[in-house]
Amino acid sequence: MQQIQNGEVLELGKRLVGQVLDPMKRRFVGKDEIVDLMGVALVAGENLFLLGPPGTAKSALVFELGRRLRGPVFEYLLTRFTEPNELFGPFDIRRLREGELVTNTEGMLPEASLVFLDELLNSNSAILNSLLMALNERVFRRGREKRDMPTLIVVGASNRLPEDEALGALFDRFLLRVTCDNVPADRLTEVLDRGWALDLGLDQTEAGVDVDDVRRLHGALGTVDLAELRRPIADLVIRLRHAGLAVSDRRAVKLQRLVAASALLCGRQRAIASDLWVFRYIWDTVEQQEVLAAIVQDVLKSAEATPADHPRARNNAPDPEALARELQDLQTRAGDASLSEADRAVLKDNLGLLAARCQWVMHEPHREALDRQVEQLWATLGDRP
């Protein structure tokens, strides 16, 4: 891989953000989080898993990313009857007549820069092994045939999480995971407006960067100084393991790629504590998301905010007004005279989670007001669990 100079790294990172990621955020309402993760996965050469229902712009996001990178995109909706030929291409008939088993991969997954696999967890055993190697090693292998793939990122999507061990191995190849839902009702008008322009092709600006430039940025991962974060990363991994999250040594090593990618996207060749925001997105179950976010947020709070931080590092604080409404709703339910002990226990669990989220509120007066609501609720419900 050709080495690039420091100034080029800074310029490439800025261009990827300014000409690809930021315009995508303006086009897609409520998808900033996903776009930021696409950027990190792209630079890190890792895969991204989207959990959510159909119709939430998952494929549109991937195609828009591909358009702005001007690279080939491969999309496929998997079913349990999908055959390897549908993803990797058929055997070349002409070469087959000559006694050679060679796959014609033109326009198929092995030649794409960006890949989107919808309903990923419908994968069957016939394609699982080939897919695992493609996801993990960026290598296409079929019989004696073996070739490197130019794939920068694979985005997988499903409306469920894996339930059996074989699919769990497939899911494990997606280092980053994020939910993709319909936008809140109060932003639906924005969705209609921007979606109309997108649907009719009214905004077809051609700004973007070349795929080769992204590859050069990817090649600069090794120039990022991670020395001062090695101990904090190790401490965070140990803390996550103690909280019940399975972070293997292999995953811990690969997570450094995400940290380095965050730094490059901020125009830095030195990783800082705020780059650990990427650890929020390594959950295995929906239930782990809140615990994981709380632990990572606790780490980020100890780091002084600077203009050099990735915006996602300081963009995950909860809305104090929304928390106040949730606490008020809890107060109303807690005042029900017919409340059973089981119901009371559930409310206590909910209150414990809300109390933890209140501590993430950055504005001190808002946080203190929320703390007072929490204390009033504990007094109503009884002792803390």
Side-chain angles (χ1 to χ4, degrees):
M1 182 69 69
Q2 182 182 1
Q3 295 297 315
I4 59 178
Q5 301 300 315
N6 292 359
E8 291 181 89
V9 172
L10 299 176
E11 180 61 27
L12 285 175
K14 289 177 182 177
R15 283 177 55 206
L16 183 59
V17 172
Q19 298 181 20
V20 177
L21 303 183
D22 284 347
M24 286 181 64
K25 291 179 184 180
R26 291 192 290 270
R27 293 198 80 182
F28 293 89
V29 178
K31 305 300 182 186
D32 289 13
E33 182 179 45
I34 295 172
V35 171
D36 280 331
L37 289 171
M38 280 182 162
V40 168
L42 191 65
V43 174
E46 293 295 339
N47 305 318
L48 174 66
F49 179 82
L50 306 180
L51 176 65
T56 51
K58 297 186 289 292
S59 59
L61 282 162
V62 177
F63 278 116
E64 180 67 9
L65 181 63
R67 189 178 72 83
R68 290 187 177 276
L69 294 177
R70 297 187 286 275
V73 178
F74 179 82
E75 179 206 20
Y76 209 80
L77 175 65
L78 296 177
T79 73
R80 46 199 187 98
F81 304 110
T82 301
E83 297 181 354
N85 289 355
E86 298 173 60
L87 297 182
F88 303 105
F91 286 116
D92 188 320
I93 300 299
R94 183 180 59 82
R95 302 284 292 275
L96 188 59
R97 288 171 181 162
E98 298 170 359
E100 295 182 76
L101 288 177
V102 178
T103 306
N104 180 5
T105 59
E106 184 178 356
M108 307 302 285
L109 187 152
E111 296 190 3
S113 298
L114 285 83
V115 175
F116 177 59
L117 299 176
D118 203 1
E119 296 302 336
L120 174 77
L121 299 181
N122 284 336
S123 300
N124 55 58
S125 58
I127 63 171
L128 194 56
N129 290 335
S130 296
L131 206 49
L132 288 176
M133 181 168 285
L135 291 170
N136 198 47
E137 302 174 31
R138 298 295 193 256
V139 168
F140 166 63
R141 184 165 189 169
R142 201 177 199 181
R144 291 187 300 174
E145 186 180 7
K146 184 178 179 181
R147 67 181 82 165
D148 292 333
M149 292 168 45
T151 308
L152 290 166
I153 178 177
V154 178
V155 180
S158 178
N159 59 8
R160 61 186 175 90
L161 292 175
E163 297 173 356
D164 63 66
E165 189 173 339
L167 292 178
L170 180 64
F171 183 58
D172 187 60
R173 284 353 189 237
F174 290 80
L175 193 58
L176 286 168
R177 295 89 184 259
V178 65
T179 55
C180 184
D181 293 316
N182 291 307
V183 301
D186 60 355
R187 302 199 68 185
L188 186 55
T189 302
E190 291 180 73
V191 173
L192 295 175
D193 180 44
R194 296 191 204 174
W196 180 253
L198 188 66
D199 191 40
L200 297 182
L202 301 179
D203 179 17
Q204 290 294 330
T205 53
E206 292 302 321
V209 300
D210 292 332
V211 169
D212 287 341
D213 285 336
V214 179
R215 296 191 197 286
R216 296 169 69 207
L217 191 58
H218 173 77
L221 283 176
T223 70
V224 178
D225 183 4
L226 294 170
E228 69 180 66
L229 278 192
R230 289 267 155 65
R231 185 69 258 172
I233 289 174
D235 290 341
L236 181 53
V237 168
I238 292 169
R239 189 172 172 184
L240 294 176
R241 287 172 175 175
H242 287 164
L245 284 88
V247 184
S248 67
D249 289 349
R250 180 179 65 82
R251 288 185 76 192
V253 170
K254 289 173 75 68
L255 283 165
Q256 293 178 109
R257 299 173 68 87
L258 303 180
V259 173
S262 173
L264 287 177
L265 286 169
C266 295
R268 290 184 275 104
Q269 287 183 285
R270 181 178 66 87
I272 58 179
S274 62
D275 292 316
L276 298 178
W277 68 271
V278 296
F279 277 73
R280 292 192 194 113
Y281 302 95
I282 62 170
W283 44 267
D284 293 321
T285 67
V286 173
E287 292 74 22
Q288 290 176 351
Q289 292 183 49
E290 194 150 10
V291 174
L292 187 57
I295 293 173
V296 175
Q297 186 65 24
D298 187 54
V299 173
L300 295 181
K301 281 198 305 184
S302 63
E304 182 180 353
T306 73
D309 291 344
H310 191 287
R312 189 57 47 193
R314 307 295 171 185
N315 201 29
N316 202 48
D319 179 0
E321 292 185 5
L323 282 173
R325 288 194 296 270
E326 291 185 63
L327 288 169
Q328 184 58 51
D329 178 63
L330 214 59
Q331 183 74 59
T332 301
R333 292 157 60 193
D336 186 348
S338 62
L339 203 65
S340 68
E341 284 303 314
D343 291 336
R344 190 177 298 275
V346 171
L347 291 182
K348 285 184 179 182
D349 288 342
N350 291 341
L351 179 56
L353 292 173
L354 286 174
R357 289 168 58 196
C358 289
Q359 301 313 305
W360 309 347
V361 173
M362 305 302 290
H363 189 55
E364 188 172 352
H366 289 164
R367 187 172 64 251
E368 290 175 349
L370 291 168
D371 285 342
R372 287 194 292 271
Q373 278 187 270
V374 168
E375 290 303 319
Q376 291 172 5
L377 264 167
W378 282 126
T380 302
L381 291 171
D383 294 337
R384 290 171 171 78

